[in-house]
Amino acid sequence: MSRTDYAGAVNALVDAGSICVVTHVRPDADAIGSATALMLGLRQRGKEVRALIGQDREISGNLLSIPKSEEIELTQELPLGFDLYVTVDCGALDRTGYLAPGLERAREEGRLLCIDHHASNEGFGSVNLVDVACESTTVVLIDVMDKMSLQVDRAIAHCLYAGLVTDTGSFRWGRPSMHTLAARLMRYGLDTKQIAVDLLDSTTVEDIQMLGRVFQSLSIEQAGAHSLGILVASLDDIGGHTDSAVESLVDFVRALEGTDMGVVFKEMAPQVWAVSLRSSTINCAEIALRMGGGGHLPAAGYTAHGTASEAVAQLVEVMS
Ligand code: 5GP
Ligand code: MN
């Protein structure tokens, strides 16, 4: 069975009357934009569609600029009885948080479609559309929606563009076609300047002060032949700050001179760290997989436990 089954994905979506869309916990713009674009597109066909995230934490304010994002429900329980369950932008089943056990049952029943673009995704659905050539999951969805002859409108274009502009680092990495797709979406009248402010640039005094505190922690660690630039963002530092500010930390170490990899340890709960890896020379997905996570070659992540120095030591040991 193919991991990149466009026809199977389209057939499953066409056949289903009711569809439950699930995206990943700690969502980014590609997660939200994928869920809302698919929801809006499928509703054109009169289908019953809900979109869910299996976490308690509110979606960060900047992502609520994406059309219909306010309709995404936060829930601990997967509602039963849908013809089809679709995960979008989830590289592994555990990225669906509370909803993973329910989705596992949906897979056993042959009702789980996995749409994604992560290199580390092995295809955890009963039908899988994992296209690792795509810059974002929204790029995969443009193809799916075209194959279904769904009509892109301004709202859907906004959702799709949100994933494209953020997952390409503002069009810094990707195929030539990312620009063609951006041009196509812009023709629906998108205010791309405002979208960039909402999703990428908007910040607050408190968040800038938080960044300053976290930058004090910058250190260089040697791991075998590699040099890691490491930021440690403790709960004391980042508690109460926006996800967008916390997620922006990694951009400052992704290409630090004299290092091969940038790493940010973000303490999400006491001694529970969301770890971000970035590199242009080392395969981040492979290291993240060894640590129980996943992602793409240049950008990946995993969860670590313990004190900050224990979490750093675990990574250094695995890479040495
Ligand atoms: P970020 O560092 O921005 O949180 O994540 C970078 C990439 O790694 C994203 O594509 C994300 O999906 C993936 N990733 C981050 N954390 C995890 C994790 O705990 N598990 C898996 N499977 N992937 C992760
Ligand atoms: Mn993505």
Side-chain angles (χ1 to χ4, degrees), residues 302-314:
Y302 64 94
T303 303
H305 299 271
T307 63
S309 39
E310 285 164 356
V312 172
Q314 285 157 16

Side-chain angles (χ1 to χ4, degrees), residues 28 30-31 89 117-118 135-137 167 296:
D28 57 11
D30 191 30
D89 203 41
H117 70 126
H118 289 94
E135 293 80 0
S136 63
T137 299
D167 269 24
H296 312 277

Side-chain angles (χ1 to χ4, degrees), residues 205-218 231-239 241 249:
V205 171
E206 291 75 17
D207 281 344
I208 297 287
Q209 289 168 334
M210 176 277 287
L211 296 181
R213 286 197 303 278
V214 174
F215 290 153
Q216 305 273 332
S217 75
L218 179 61
L231 287 172
V232 175
S234 71
L235 200 48
D236 282 349
D237 288 325
I238 60 176
H241 288 276
L249 281 164

Side-chain angles (χ1 to χ4, degrees), residues 24 26 28 89 91-92 94-95 117-118 120 167 247 250 266 275-278 292-296 299-303:
H24 64 77
R26 297 200 306 115
D28 57 11
D89 203 41
D94 65 4
R95 298 283 286 154
H117 70 126
H118 289 94
S120 61
D167 269 24
E247 296 311 316
V250 77
K266 297 162 282 185
V275 185
S276 292
L277 309 177
R278 298 290 186 274
H296 312 277
Y302 64 94
T303 303

Side-chain angles (χ1 to χ4, degrees), residues 120 226 277 282-294 301-303 314-320:
S120 61
H226 302 301
L277 309 177
I282 301 175
N283 183 339
C284 295
E286 191 207 327
I287 293 164
L289 267 173
R290 276 196 262 157
M291 305 299 283
Y302 64 94
T303 303
Q314 285 157 16
L315 176 64
V316 168
E317 193 187 317
V318 160
M319 292 187 63
S320 294

